[in-house]
Amino acid sequence: MIPPGTGEPSVANVIVEIPKGRRTKFEVDKITGLIKMDRYLYGSTMYPGDYGFIPQTLAEDNDPLDILVMVNEPTFSGCLIEARVVGIFRMKDKGQNDFKILAVPNRDPLFGDMKTLEDVPRHFLREVEHFFSTYKQLEGVTIEPLGWASHEVGATEVRACIERFRQTLGNF
């Protein structure tokens, strides 16, 4: 089983489900472990980064913790990325907390200086916020954006979701 992190503070393992620039919503099937196509996004928006989850975490929505990784080019579904947490976008989906960690590839020199939200271009943060605020509109789902928080808050959320997983599902 893939661990949630590398042992380095604020560095998480990410399993990519949806590559950057895609409208297709892929998910890891909980029964088979295969990547399956869940649906197409109803609108013309595309994921602004590689999107997936941190293994061995359990978020408040009873799914693994979501994470968006800034990449220069998309990877592929099922790719494992070692990613450094730079912040967290907090939102509610159908009234339930559905937080999104924002991260960068830990070993990519192009992102070597990005450690906090302040290091991320403001326009990219606005793009991500706009994407998550509107990507389900045409499905009739209302998202309530709650805003950005620091990399410390993001790392705390990752640790809380690891602990929730261990307490709920056991330590593998």
Side-chain angles (χ1 to χ4, degrees):
M1 182 165 273
I2 300 166
T6 65
E8 231 179 291
S10 298
V11 177
N13 284 323
V14 178
I15 305 297
V16 174
E17 292 176 303
I18 306 160
K20 174 183 177 177
R22 296 295 303 262
R23 285 180 56 192
T24 311
K25 178 83 165 81
F26 297 108
E27 291 186 352
V28 172
D29 182 73
K30 291 177 182 171
I31 295 171
T32 66
L34 296 173
I35 304 278
K36 74 173 188 173
M37 188 186 94
D38 182 57
R39 67 184 183 278
Y40 285 100
L41 296 182
Y42 283 38
S44 60
T45 57
M46 293 184 261
Y47 282 84
D50 278 6
Y51 183 76
F53 64 92
I54 301 173
Q56 294 191 47
T57 59
L58 187 62
E60 291 179 51
D61 63 359
N62 288 316
D63 281 330
L65 182 59
D66 297 326
I67 186 165
L68 181 78
V69 183
M70 294 177 68
V71 292
N72 282 313
E73 57 183 68
T75 60
F76 54 90
S77 296
C79 183
L80 175 64
I81 300 176
E82 186 180 287
R84 185 173 55 256
V85 175
V86 296
I88 184 170
F89 181 67
R90 295 175 294 186
M91 59 181 247
K92 288 186 181 279
D93 184 342
K94 298 177 189 167
Q96 190 172 34
N97 285 343
D98 190 11
F99 299 161
K100 313 294 184 189
I101 298 295
L102 179 63
V104 296
N106 191 41
R107 298 180 190 264
D108 186 334
L110 293 173
F111 296 102
D113 293 329
M114 282 193 193
K115 310 263 191 246
T116 69
L117 279 179
E118 290 74 29
D119 301 324
V120 177
R122 296 288 124 220
H123 185 73
F124 184 79
L125 296 177
R126 288 191 304 268
E127 281 184 50
V128 171
E129 185 169 350
H130 181 264
F131 174 78
F132 284 120
S133 297
T134 62
Y135 78 129
K136 291 186 177 181
Q137 262 182 352
L138 295 178
E139 294 178 51
V141 176
T142 301
I143 301 296
E144 180 187 350
L146 303 173
W148 289 99
S150 70
H151 70 280
E152 293 93 355
V153 174
T156 298
E157 183 66 20
V158 171
R159 285 191 296 276
C161 290
I162 291 169
E163 187 57 33
R164 187 179 297 114
F165 177 89
R166 290 180 177 156
Q167 299 229 340
T168 305
L169 302 172
N171 190 356
F172 292 94

